[in-house]
Amino acid sequence: GYADIYNDDLYRFLKSKGYSDEELKDSALVTIDERRGGSDKFWNRVMFPIMDVNNRVIGFGGRVMGDGSPKYLNSKETTLFDKSRNLYGLNFARSSRKKEIILCEGYMDVISVRQAGCTYAVASLGTATTPEQIQTMFRYTDKIVCCYDGDSAGRHAAWHALETITPIMQDGKEISFAFLPPEHDPDSLVREKGLQGFTDYLDNAMSYAEFLVLHNSQSYNLTDPNELTNFIHESIKLIKKIPLPALQSVALKLLSKPSGISENQLYDMLKS
């Protein structure tokens, strides 16, 4: 959709339909100022309706036309719209025949890959990934692939997601991490290389345990004894939070190589 360049069109239209200022304020679509009256939350923006799993519109995202700021603007939370529990595109992805869900970062990522034929992508709603969003996706799939840009911001977002996911890992559920080249996001990659070019990166996604060890190892100079000690300590501290013994064992096995310490020693450290 589109919100035009006038910042009170929606306000005037809804008032003509009989809605009160209080109702419009509660909808988070309008800002009410005692002196200046009502003004629209969204204007001069391309609009993305956000739907719940039952295809009901519960909020909006808007991308500015031109160079305005902020580039993307989301509805504030309301009685209907809880950002921490909802995902953009889940109403479509949950009915996909593919037995996995791809978690992207933006609306245009979901739209572009869906147009290319990937019908099982969703995006978080302008916030970091939450435990509630992961648990919501697990209701509809056993496999989540978190897809991030390959730059430092993408790695940081992926690491935050891993820390969020760790305490709520479940038996029979699988989470992996796919990283695109630094110059691409899913939207630009699928436009340039097509669906196959995009899914090739998904097929080579790192498992949860691989990403845990690899990312952590890249944050330290492992030739320095003090940093190596910190790397081992921080890795074990995170592994200890994993509620699944089998997954803990896999992570300790992977940790033994960069740390130079046997699995048995690492297991003793974990228990102590």
Side-chain angles (χ1 to χ4, degrees), residues 37-69:
S39 60
D40 300 344
K41 172 85 170 178
F42 298 99
W43 55 279
N44 195 34
R45 290 180 182 271
V46 175
M47 298 299 295
F48 302 86
I50 299 165
M51 302 181 187
D52 65 12
V53 293
N54 297 310
N55 297 311
R56 298 175 298 193
V57 177
I58 55 173
F60 294 92
R63 188 198 189 286
V64 71
M65 300 287 284
D67 299 323
S69 182

Side-chain angles (χ1 to χ4, degrees), residues 7 49 100-101 103-104 125 144 164 166 182 193 196 203-204 206 209 221 224 233 241 247 252 266:
N7 69 355
E100 65 185 63
I101 289 178
L103 177 61
C104 301
L125 297 168
I144 299 171
T164 299
T166 296
K193 300 185 182 297
Q196 188 60 53
D203 293 340
N204 291 309
M206 282 187 280
N221 175 9
D224 181 309
H233 174 74
K241 294 179 182 178
L247 187 54
L252 290 174
L266 291 171

Side-chain angles (χ1 to χ4, degrees), residues 91-119:
N91 54 314
F92 297 117
R94 73 185 186 104
S95 58
S96 170
R97 293 181 181 179
K98 191 78 171 179
K99 298 302 181 185
E100 65 185 63
I101 289 178
I102 311 301
L103 177 61
C104 301
E105 294 187 80
Y107 304 133
M108 286 308 302
D109 295 328
V110 173
I111 291 171
S112 290
V113 300
R114 182 174 178 82
Q115 285 180 330
C118 175
T119 59

Side-chain angles (χ1 to χ4, degrees), residues 237-250:
K237 192 164 70 172
L238 189 56
I239 292 169
K240 192 172 181 65
K241 294 179 182 178
I242 302 173
L244 307 175
L247 187 54
Q248 282 186 337
S249 298
V250 170

